[in-house]
Amino acid sequence: EIVLTQSPDFQSVTPKEKVTITCRASQSIGSSLHWYQQKPDQSPKLLIKYASQSFSGVPSRFSGSGSGTNFTLTINSLEAEDAATYYCHQSSSPPLTFGGGTKVEIK
Amino acid sequence: QVQLQESGPGLVKPSQTLSLTCTVSGGSINSGGSYWSWIRQHPGKGLEWLGYIYYSGSTYYNPSLKSRLTISLDTSKNQFSLKLTSVTAADTAVYYCARAKYFDYWGQGALVTVSS
């Protein structure tokens, strides 16, 4: 099973600040890494697919990069509505797995 | 726009079978290349992928649940279903259905509580 390790677990950020969340895979997964945003009492929403491809309708301040074992989700100029938990997920090899999540709080 | 909707009992007794159905609208469940997944989230915790069924009917289950889990497809109703046997309190969770290997569309989630 491929283990995904996200960091940090929690981040408290002021509006307009840049946020960087990392996801490390226990073995190479190419670019089969996806990012989701989940707000309280809502279903997760796809932000980025295949490491760097923005999903339709996602604000341009969200971007992804990386390949192999190291990946990054970047939120440029954080907005209050971005307060949420963010998860990475790999589809390279079943069982599909998720990272533990990063909670982003707005100061 | 594809939409998914979970349905099923919100309360299941220990040792019984948890059954949920996901109804897909806005697209065909047996369109080529489609995977259909079940994912759950324990209260206050992260996401756990349970398994998927391919449009052809082939399945892959998370080894942690493989002996208890069955996912099936009903193309006539554009639905897919989950059955989890011998449930315990540890199966209490919000259960989501989702499309594809990268989950572009999700249901709203169904809270299932296992309790006597």
Side-chain angles (χ1 to χ4, degrees):
Chain A
E1 174 176 314
I2 296 173
V3 177
L4 298 179
T5 304
Q6 275 185 246
S7 61
D9 294 333
F10 176 83
Q11 197 162 10
S12 185
V13 188
T14 55
K16 298 188 180 181
E17 196 173 337
K18 179 180 175 179
V19 173
T20 300
I21 299 169
T22 65
C23 180
R24 178 170 294 178
S26 59
Q27 64 190 73
S28 179
I29 56 173
S31 61
S32 297
L33 191 285
H34 321 290
W35 292 98
Y36 303 85
Q37 176 194 66
Q38 187 179 32
K39 297 181 180 180
D41 298 320
Q42 292 186 16
S43 307
K45 290 181 170 59
L46 178 65
L47 297 174
I48 303 291
K49 60 179 182 175
Y50 293 111
S52 62
Q53 298 175 24
S54 293
F55 186 58
S56 175
V58 173
S60 59
R61 62 182 180 275
F62 292 92
S63 63
S65 64
S67 66
T69 60
N70 292 301
F71 301 87
T72 300
L73 174 70
T74 301
I75 310 173
N76 282 301
S77 193
L78 187 81
E79 297 191 6
E81 66 183 29
D82 300 333
T85 300
Y86 294 84
Y87 294 94
C88 58
H89 153 240
Q90 68 81 20
S91 63
S92 172
S93 173
L96 310 187
T97 50
F98 290 91
T102 296
K103 186 173 183 178
V104 174
E105 174 194 86
I106 309 298
K107 282 183 183 173
Chain B
Q1 169 106 358
V2 174
Q3 293 186 314
L4 292 83
Q5 174 85 47
E6 303 90 351
S7 59
L11 181 64
V12 180
K13 289 183 167 48
S15 80
Q16 294 191 340
T17 296
L18 183 163
S19 296
L20 292 172
T21 296
C22 182
T23 301
V24 179
S25 58
S28 173
I29 202 167
N30 60 0
S31 59
S34 292
Y35 290 84
W36 304 94
S37 280
W38 286 99
I39 296 152
R40 71 180 179 182
Q41 187 168 34
H42 293 106
K45 301 298 184 184
L47 299 163
E48 178 186 20
W49 176 77
L50 305 183
Y52 62 52
I53 187 163
Y54 195 44
Y55 78 104
S56 63
S58 61
T59 54
Y60 194 102
Y61 301 134
N62 192 318
S64 66
L65 293 166
K66 187 175 182 179
S67 61
R68 299 195 292 134
L69 181 62
T70 302
I71 299 175
S72 58
L73 209 57
D74 186 339
T75 56
S76 67
K77 296 181 180 178
N78 226 35
Q79 295 175 335
F80 63 107
S81 298
L82 169 151
K83 289 190 189 301
L84 186 64
T85 62
S86 305
V87 297
T88 69
D91 295 309
T92 293
V94 175
Y95 287 76
Y96 297 101
C97 56
R99 188 183 81 158
K101 278 187 168 182
Y102 58 89
F103 308 121
D104 53 358
Y105 296 102
W106 296 65
Q108 86 285 358
L111 173 62
V112 179
T113 301
V114 178
S115 174
S116 56

